[in-house]
Amino acid sequence: MLTSIKMKIFSYYLVSFLLISCSSAIEKELPVDSTPSESPSDYTIVFASCNDQDRPQPLWKPIMENNPNLFIWGGDNVYADTDDMQKMKGDYDKVWGNQEYSRMAQKTIITGVWDDHDYGKNDAGVEWQKKEEAEKLFLDFLKVAEDDVRRTRPGTYKAETYTTNKGSIKVLLLDTRSFRDPLKKSEDPQRRYDYWPPGEGGTILGEDQWLWLTEELKDERPNFTLIVTSIQFLSYQHGWEKWGVFPDEVKKMEALLKQAKSKNIMMLSGDRHQAEISISNKLDLGYPLIDFTSSGLTHTWIKNGSSDNEYRVSNVVKQLNFGVLKFDFDTSKVEFEIRGANNFLFEQFTQPY
């Protein structure tokens, strides 16, 4: 079901090693200048996360080779990690200063979510005192209109519907930072760097965002619905940030997905400095719930071991990567791809809905 060309991957790893050693919904139509991808689809989405503005950014050209109709930032879009808003603005400006990114922006719709490093502080949540100033800069980075709802209320969550002459895709952009309760470090001295559930209670989304999400998932019109969450939802066995740190929030999301009227829901996530595809059949949605993780654009943890993930159905990709989703409205199928430098195809998975 998943394709993997071992010799090709080995050759790619070897070349990469040598190189490293040396160095409320709004509808939007398709961009008028979008062209069919090499593998034809009715709509193509590329998403990615973990983009250090001070490192080389080699993936914009291969991303454009997939002719995306939409590009979604998955969080850690810059590594600002600062309470100095002038520095944060300068970090965002460095991304726009990349000629290939600017060229992509001229022909591709760009949207996205943020995570902790563009929020301003590693692993921070509701307690971060600079979140309002950081939110303005994040929205400016995405070139969000001044009358956009996100500029009128706290939080960066938003619903956007992208419509074609064959069907539509709804994208629900979650804010997993502005309202999230503080994390709790493990008390186990062997896992002192890990986060563990704080017990009952605690929130990731906050009350208002949960109410908003509940209403958005009553929308039956779109053919597909994407929930973009900066941190992983299905994978819970690693000790880093994840939905599983707040088990009550996981149960709440599962209950909401079960009662949702929206069709063909899937999740996109980032944060982990690796890419993988996770699938769960436990929710009885009538189709599998996919959590597609892509990370990172500029750096990964190549030498680190891979943590367990009972839902993983792909190889773990630790080379620089981006995710591609190709939607076919006629057959109601989605093709999931993990790609990297030179548009190399690491993993491919097709899900019928």
Side-chain angles (χ1 to χ4, degrees), residues 119-326:
Y119 187 54
K121 185 177 181 181
N122 185 49
D123 296 347
V126 67
E127 73 280 2
W128 178 232
Q129 69 271 20
K130 291 288 185 176
K131 57 179 175 287
E132 291 182 8
E133 296 96 324
E135 178 179 334
K136 181 183 183 303
L137 291 178
F138 169 69
L139 297 178
D140 290 345
F141 169 67
L142 292 181
K143 300 192 180 301
V144 168
E146 290 301 320
D147 61 352
D148 188 282
V149 67
R150 287 169 289 186
R151 295 194 185 271
T152 67
R153 49 122 172 99
T156 60
Y157 58 94
K158 180 69 182 302
E160 297 177 345
T161 301
Y162 298 89
T163 303
T164 77
N165 58 2
K166 286 191 173 184
S168 62
I169 302 167
K170 188 167 189 173
V171 178
L172 300 175
L173 305 163
L174 300 187
D175 184 341
T176 63
R177 292 291 154 191
S178 298
F179 315 103
R180 197 216 65 209
D181 283 331
L183 301 173
K184 178 183 178 181
K185 282 285 190 180
S186 171
E187 297 178 357
D188 183 347
Q190 300 299 317
R191 308 195 69 163
R192 62 187 182 278
Y193 299 113
D194 291 356
Y195 294 116
W196 290 101
E200 294 183 1
T203 187
I204 294 176
L205 301 185
E207 183 178 357
D208 289 345
Q209 188 173 187
W210 271 118
L211 291 172
W212 163 84
L213 183 60
T214 300
E215 289 302 309
E216 293 296 342
L217 288 175
K218 293 178 181 178
D219 188 357
E220 301 179 74
R221 295 169 297 174
N223 300 74
F224 302 95
T225 300
L226 274 64
I227 298 177
V228 186
T229 168
S230 62
I231 54 176
Q232 289 182 311
F233 181 74
L234 286 180
S235 180
Y236 68 92
Q237 290 163 283
H238 61 84
W240 307 103
E241 286 191 281
K242 55 187 178 288
W243 275 78
V245 174
F246 292 86
D248 287 351
E249 293 285 87
V250 173
K251 294 176 183 176
K252 191 171 184 176
M253 179 65 83
E254 290 175 343
L256 181 55
L257 294 177
K258 288 180 180 179
Q259 70 183 31
K261 294 183 179 179
S262 297
K263 299 186 289 290
N264 304 328
I265 301 170
M266 60 201 78
M267 291 186 166
L268 305 183
S269 58
D271 181 56
R272 291 297 313 285
H273 297 273
Q274 65 184 41
E276 62 184 348
I277 301 171
S278 304
I279 297 180
S280 173
N281 289 291
K282 295 181 178 180
L283 298 184
D284 296 324
L285 302 177
Y287 54 88
L289 178 64
I290 294 178
D291 183 351
F292 186 11
T293 303
S294 177
S295 169
L297 273 172
T298 60
H299 56 299
T300 58
W301 295 341
I302 295 177
K303 295 182 179 179
N304 288 31
S306 298
S307 56
D308 292 336
N309 176 5
E310 70 167 292
Y311 298 109
R312 184 186 298 133
V313 298
S314 70
N315 290 313
V316 175
V317 176
K318 294 191 175 184
Q319 299 295 312
L320 301 185
N321 64 83
F322 56 92
V324 182
L325 295 89
K326 297 178 179 179

Side-chain angles (χ1 to χ4, degrees), residues 319-337:
Q319 299 295 312
L320 301 185
N321 64 83
F322 56 92
V324 182
L325 295 89
K326 297 178 179 179
F327 295 85
D328 188 321
F329 293 106
D330 291 330
T331 62
S332 196
K333 290 182 180 179
V334 181
E335 185 176 287
F336 300 83
E337 298 178 346

